[in-house]
Each structure stands twice: as C-alpha cells, then as structure tokens.
Amino acid sequence: MNTLRGLALLLMLLLAAGECHAAGLIVGIVAPQNGNLAPIGAQIIAGASAKVQQDGDTIVTIDETCAENSGAAIADALINAKVQVAVGFLCSETLEGALPKLKDANIPAITVSVRSRILMEDALKNGWPLYRLAPADGAEAEKIIDVILREWAAAPIALIEDGTIHGRELTEAIRNALEEKGLKPVFTDTYRPGQEQQVALVRRLRKAGATKVFVGGDRSDVAVIARDAAAEKIHLDILGGDAMRAADQPLALADGVLAVALPDYAARPEAKAVVDAFRARSVEPEGYVLPAYAAVEIATKAASDAGADDRPIAQHIGGTAFETVIGKVAFNAGHELADNPYRLLQWQAGSFVPANTPIE
C-alpha cells in the first residue's frame, strides 16, 4: 500500500472509530490500529465501517494487538459495548482467547483473515461461534491439485519450489496427492530463489521432458523462469500459487502464465457500485476492504433473519447463502466457506483474468 492510500484508509478508520448511529444492530470491528499491522487493519475497518455506516447501524471498533492472551480483553470490550456480531479478526491469537467469552455472550465472530484449521477444529469441538470468510489452510493446495488432475494428468509434469517453508510445504502436499492418484512428476527440484536468470533450471526441465511446471515460489522467480524458457525456445506451461498476486516487478510476467489464486474481487460486476464509492473517496478497495464489507453484509442479513424468528444470529449464518460484494457466500457445516474461493487465473495484458478455456 502506498502512503496516500494508507493515509486515506487511516482517515476512514478514525472517522469510523468516532461515529455511532442509533440503530438496532451493533457491529464490532476487530482489527489492528497501531504498529506494523495497522495498514491491514485499516483495510478491514474501511470495508466494514463503510457498510455499517451505509445501513445506519452502530459501529464499535476494537484495537487488535495480536498479542498472546489478548483475546479475553477484546471479548470483554465487545460484550461491554453490547455488540451483537463481530467481524475482522486478523490474528488467531485474538480468537483463541476471545471465542469462549463470545460463546457465552452469544456473539458470532466472522474472521476475514485467520486460516488455521486447528483453531476451527477447536471452535467446532467447543461450540464457539466462529465463521471463516478466509480460505482455510490447505485450500490453495486442494485447488492446485484439482487443476493439475483435471487439466494436466496426461502430460509430463514438473514440481519445483524455492525452499521456503510455504513453497516446500505447498509443493509437497501437491506431490503427495498426485502420487496417491498414480501421477508421478518427471522432475522435482528446489531452485535457488531471487536469481537474475534460471537458464540452467529450464534446461534441466527440458532434459527431463517436462512441459507442465508447477512453481512453488514467488512471482518474480516465475517471471524469470518464464522469460528464460522462452529465450531457450523451451515450451513450458507454468502454474503458480497465490503468491503470484504480487507486484509485477522487477521483471514483467509473460502473458499466459497461470496461477491458482484468490480473484480480484474489485473486478467483479456485483462489486462495481461499492468499488466506485470507495474510489470516489480515494480509498482503493484492495486487500481486506471488500471481504470486510462482505462480512458486514452477512452479519446484517443474519441479524435481520434472527429478528424475524428470535433465534440467535449465529444460527442464521450457517446454512444460508448470502449475496455479497465478493459474490455468493455460504458456509458449510464446519463453518468454512462452502466453495473453495481459489480460482484458476491467467496473466493477460497486465492482469490476471479467469482461465475459462482448457489448458492445452
């Protein structure tokens, strides 16, 4: 986020924090307001507060420190403010301490960020009212595996990764799943990231006979690999993960490179009016802005439904399909997104677009 965008979001944060409205629903927005995480917290508060203000409801913003054992105090602040539903929650440390108290107060929590499977397992076991608007750990690998099995199963496949924890674990999960299905890669390797050229790597890929390559690494490394393969006249279909959603520098990405990544919600037709409204106020709807807006949309609809039959709001979040700014959202019995949000995208003319045609 550049400085101007950060200041614009911070301004909205301050306005939201100091403004309340007399209305039936009181929404708690839990997000960092200080320190290194403040710009991300500003995205959450900007998105959530915009929807609350639009509806004329009441906003209660709570600073999230993400420190160990900080969750109980945050839950107390939400309860004392008579919040009926809480959204945001950037950090698992907050939820671990807050959820037991939120359960007792019957306050559902919708996180836009926390992906821990262990936390959700604990929530289900203990009856904590947690719903996850972010993808769970493993969702990225699941979608990549699906894409490879569906589109590349008959081709010679290579799996390479950059040696980082995420790159290694992601690629290993893919490799294990493929081999369980009887699909063994013709080439696997750990490459050295951050290099100005990867000619030796692409030549090894050619020698192994690989034509399809998954890269568990950063966008900049993928750009170098794609460039060097083209220069060596080696045809490679290259697929990356969600790390591909990064700045297109220092080397521009070649058209045709694929990624399994979260889509650009701001480009969705149903988001246009909201996106235009944010941009009119010099707030770029990036990062968590639109997911946080969607979280309040869900909370508002669930609260409305709860008011009609006097059942708790949490009971109206699960099992209901919500039309939101990021598309249709539903939660399964495990309080996770019913549909994997990752999509197969292709880089074309400066942006990732849906890859709607089969991979040749």
Side-chain angles (χ1 to χ4, degrees):
M1 179 188 302
N2 61 35
T3 302
L4 290 177
R5 287 180 181 173
L7 290 174
L9 288 173
L10 181 59
L11 176 60
M12 178 168 277
L13 182 158
L14 293 172
L15 290 173
E19 189 171 351
C20 283
H21 305 275
L25 185 64
I26 305 175
V27 180
I29 305 173
V30 180
Q33 298 179 27
N34 299 283
N36 294 336
L37 295 175
I40 301 176
Q43 293 175 355
I44 295 172
I45 296 173
S49 63
K51 178 57 178 170
V52 177
Q53 290 173 348
Q54 177 185 313
D55 294 340
D57 287 327
T58 301
I59 301 166
V60 175
T61 56
I62 305 294
D63 184 18
E64 183 179 18
T65 65
C66 295
E68 294 286 347
N69 303 315
S70 62
I74 288 175
D76 287 340
L78 292 168
I79 294 167
N80 291 337
K82 302 187 185 306
V83 162
Q84 293 159 276
V85 61
V87 304
F89 298 101
L90 188 66
C91 302
S92 60
E93 291 85 355
T94 306
L95 287 167
E96 288 169 358
L99 284 169
K101 290 192 171 187
L102 295 182
K103 175 188 175 181
D104 293 341
N106 213 16
I107 300 173
I110 303 174
T111 177
V112 299
S113 171
V114 177
R115 302 187 178 194
S116 168
R117 283 192 182 273
I118 294 175
L119 177 64
M120 186 58 80
E121 290 171 1
D122 288 342
L124 295 175
K125 180 175 64 178
N126 294 295
W128 297 339
L130 174 64
Y131 292 85
R132 190 188 340 252
L133 198 54
D137 279 344
E140 179 185 5
E142 289 171 6
K143 181 63 73 173
I144 293 169
I145 292 162
D146 176 69
V147 167
I148 292 175
L149 290 174
R150 187 180 70 242
E151 308 291 354
W152 286 1
I157 300 167
L159 304 177
I160 60 176
E161 46 90 5
D162 62 3
T164 62
I165 293 174
H166 178 72
R168 182 174 64 252
E169 291 182 348
L170 176 62
T171 307
E172 189 65 19
I174 294 167
R175 178 179 180 176
N176 290 338
L178 295 181
E179 292 187 350
E180 285 177 4
K181 297 290 186 179
L183 184 59
K184 186 174 179 61
V186 299
F187 181 83
T188 59
D189 195 18
T190 300
Y191 66 87
R192 185 176 180 184
Q195 302 302 294
E196 294 184 0
Q197 58 87 17
Q198 293 284 2
V199 174
L201 174 61
V202 299
R203 287 175 178 171
R204 292 200 302 275
L205 288 165
R206 176 174 58 187
K207 184 177 181 180
T211 60
K212 316 289 186 182
V213 183
F214 171 75
V215 183
D218 289 343
R219 180 193 182 104
S220 57
D221 292 328
V222 174
V224 171
I225 292 167
R227 179 204 62 193
D228 290 352
E232 292 288 310
K233 295 182 171 52
I234 301 170
H235 176 76
L236 296 176
D237 289 321
I238 301 176
L239 172 66
D242 199 48
M244 298 291 285
R245 292 189 304 129
D248 194 29
Q249 59 184 18
L251 178 66
L253 195 62
D255 281 354
V257 172
L258 299 160
V260 165
L262 295 177
D264 179 8
Y265 295 123
R268 298 183 65 98
E270 60 264 56
K272 186 177 187 307
V274 174
V275 167
D276 289 346
F278 275 119
R279 287 175 175 163
R281 289 177 287 178
S282 300
V283 176
E284 184 61 26
E286 60 189 348
Y288 290 108
V289 173
L290 294 182
Y293 188 102
V296 177
E297 289 182 302
I298 292 166
T300 302
K301 179 63 166 61
S304 175
D305 292 345
D309 62 13
D310 293 325
R311 287 194 295 151
I313 293 175
Q315 292 185 19
H316 288 276
I317 296 178
T320 302
F322 300 90
E323 297 294 340
T324 78
V325 72
I326 62 173
K328 183 174 287 188
V329 172
F331 299 96
N332 61 24
H335 295 195
E336 306 279 9
L337 290 170
D339 295 324
N340 191 323
Y342 286 101
R343 297 291 182 265
L344 178 61
L345 308 174
Q346 187 173 49
W347 186 255
Q348 292 291 345
S351 65
F352 276 115
V353 298
N356 294 320
T357 56
I359 307 170
E360 298 297 330

